Structure formats: structure tokens, C-alpha cells
Amino acid sequence: GQPAPSGPEMGTAAPGPARAAPRVLVVDDEPAVGEILAKALDAYEVTVAQSGANARALCASGSFDVILCDVSMPGFDGIDLWEALRADGRGLEERMAFMTGGTFTPRAREFFARVSNRCIDKPFGLSSLEELVAAVLRDGRATGFRANE
């Protein structure tokens, strides 16, 4: 048999509405982090949001297969985004995986004690990131598993 292509093939997509790649939303208030993750995830259709509020608006107008979200951001943070998406009732909060610097506020500790969304600690390697995204795509959700444990 022929090996599966390892990356997107140029010029082979049939015309029409079919999406070539899963959609990933990266939410991080540090522009450099968003840029690095977008480049690292070049096999996917990546959208970067620099705030929880911006991510909320993007989710309201579209859907994403995976949402990688920083926990700590000024204003509307990752926890606020999870709660807003849960309130929408579309199930997008189940596709959220969190990125954290490892320091948890009491609010964040309480949040992670009650939800089972995946969480990855910064700094993380490319292989850990790829495994996380692949697991969410495979399962159709980012819950029920903890990275780095």
C-alpha cells in the first residue's frame, strides 16, 4: 500500500465546501506565543485570538475542532471563555485544552478540580503540542484526560 501523506498536499483538494484541515483556535494574550503556535500547527487551519473576548466572538460566528487557550489573561480569561462557551450549549467548551504557566490562582485551582479538560504546562515541546491536538481531534473533545500527568 501507499503511505499516508504526512502533510497537506498542494493542488489535490477538490473544489467545493469541504474543509482540508481541522480548525484550531489559539487564544493567548502574548502575540509571540500565538505566532509560534500558529507556525507549529501549520498542518491545521489556525486562527489566533489575543484575548478571551476576541475568542468568544470568533466562536460565536464559527466553529473550531480544537481550542488551545491560555488560562491567565487580563480581563476575560480562559476560565471565563470556557464558562461562556458552556452557556452557549454548542459543546465547544469540550474542545478546549488549556495552556498554563503552572501557577494557579485559587479560582483556577477550583476550576481545574471540577472540569476534566486537558491542560498542558508552558513551556511545552512541539511533540507534546501535536499529541494534545491529535488527541482532541481523535476524541472529538478535550475532556477526560490530563496531559503532563
Side-chain angles (χ1 to χ4, degrees):
Q2 191 122 350
S6 59
E9 298 292 322
M10 298 303 288
T12 58
R19 282 203 316 248
R23 297 187 70 204
V24 177
L25 176 62
V26 172
V27 188
D28 200 299
D29 59 309
E30 298 177 43
V33 172
E35 193 176 308
I36 290 165
L37 293 179
K39 285 180 182 168
L41 296 170
D42 65 350
Y44 304 102
E45 183 183 322
V46 179
T47 302
V48 178
Q50 291 183 6
S51 72
N54 181 229
R56 171 93 173 80
L58 289 165
C59 288
S61 63
S63 187
F64 294 92
D65 300 296
V66 181
I67 300 169
L68 294 172
C69 185
D70 192 10
V71 175
S72 295
M73 295 181 288
F76 197 86
D77 66 12
I79 297 169
D80 294 327
L81 178 61
W82 185 92
E83 290 173 344
L85 293 179
R86 184 169 184 219
D88 285 347
R90 293 171 47 211
L92 284 179
E93 81 282 358
E94 292 188 2
R95 299 181 197 167
M96 280 184 81
F98 291 94
M99 303 176 292
T100 175
T103 54
F104 286 128
T105 62
R107 177 175 176 248
R109 275 195 296 277
E110 184 277 327
F111 174 76
F112 283 109
R114 68 182 166 89
V115 303
S116 60
N117 291 62
R118 291 172 168 93
C119 190
I120 190 170
D121 293 324
K122 293 178 184 177
F124 45 80
L126 180 57
S127 62
S128 296
L129 178 66
E130 289 171 342
E131 286 171 24
L132 177 65
V133 172
V136 177
L137 291 171
R138 180 189 66 235
D139 299 345
R141 56 191 170 82
T143 56
F145 165 83
R146 288 267 186 214
N148 298 349
E149 278 190 6

